[in-house]
Amino acid sequence: MPILTDSTNKFQRGLVYLFAILASLGIAPFVVIRYLNGQVVNAMVDLAIVTVALGSAGYTWWRGLATQTVSNITAALYSAGAVAVAHLNEPIFVFWLFPALLANFFLLKPNAGLIANVLAILAILPIAAKLETSTHMFAMISSLLICGSMAYSFALLTTRQQESLQGYAVQDALTQLGNRRAMNEEMRMSIDDFARTESPVTLIVLDLDFFKMVNDKYGHSVGDEVLVDLAGLLNKRVRKTDRVFRFGGEEFVVLARNTGLEDAVVIAEQLRMQIELELRDPEGTLTASFGLAQLQPGEKLEDWFNRADKAVYQAKQQGRNCVVAAAAPL
């Protein structure tokens, strides 16, 4: 069952709860009214909408997250229910479809919402064809199409803006690597994985040697070029399962998944040699100092990173351009 991304999960949960509340307040009374008026089929349709809306909300609350499956079911139910209500009553009840057209774009991705809305509008065409005049028919169809088109445009624009904001939130603007926030999230996931499966994971922190001299002598534009080159080198040399981040300034981090300390030392040595061979400033070779720390049982994120960061400091003290592995804490 696919799970929505964390950045949208709270919003999706809120929508599922909102639809449950609206169904309870706005549709549930019609169950009783229609049943008392002898409209049993209509009452059953309304009852189905309320039941599934409350069931989706209850399941979401129990799981503590919104799944795309729940959103799909809610959207399908709302659309089908609106179409059914329109067919079982007077044409004026087509107005129930308008909130469904809008809701689909909140619950579904834009393209999926577009398909759902097109199908819903097609299902309404037989009702439009029975109207007294062609003017009434075209007015009904046009109003549905305009509503759906405007909602689709808004949903598409909102989705693109959300993707851009998510990128800015977790991406370093200069190097296009993950930033500190992204690194923390990946580290937390690795800690959780380690708690479940005990699969080893090692943090590799590297800091360029004498980088301040590059900025002071040649300016920050040259320094920025060096950082971009380093980011490209790291991305090119690390394994597909590893993650690379810019922690800040000239400090970078490689999260080596499924990797113990000894194997991570080999990876760090390879990166150190590649930096010495390939990374340049206007005067020649640049080097980097490396600190490593393998995650230990029960270790917190801050403690894990601090051990690797202190190992970088030890590498600087030992003459730079070397790799130091932190010992496991007592």
Side-chain angles (χ1 to χ4, degrees), residues 197 199-202 239 241-242 256-260 263:
T197 64
S199 55
V201 56
T202 301
R239 303 167 303 176
T241 55
D242 299 334
R257 295 173 167 177
N258 301 314
T259 305
D263 292 332

Side-chain angles (χ1 to χ4, degrees), residues 164-186:
S164 297
L165 290 174
Q166 288 176 348
Y168 293 143
V170 298
Q171 190 177 65
D172 177 61
L174 176 64
T175 63
Q176 307 304 307
L177 297 177
N179 60 15
R180 188 183 303 188
R181 179 177 179 181
M183 183 193 75
N184 289 339
E185 288 297 321
E186 291 284 350

Side-chain angles (χ1 to χ4, degrees), residues 73-85 97 100-101 103-104 108 116-117 120:
I73 292 174
T74 304
L77 172 75
Y78 201 7
S79 298
V83 170
V85 168
L97 194 61
L101 296 180
N104 284 340
L108 306 173
N117 283 352

Side-chain angles (χ1 to χ4, degrees), residues 9-10 12-17 53-67 69-71 74:
N9 200 272
K10 289 183 180 179
Q12 292 299 113
R13 287 205 311 269
L15 286 177
V16 173
Y17 298 149
L54 292 175
S56 298
Y59 179 78
T60 299
W61 179 82
W62 176 68
R63 286 288 302 273
L65 51 84
T67 65
T69 300
V70 169
S71 294
T74 304

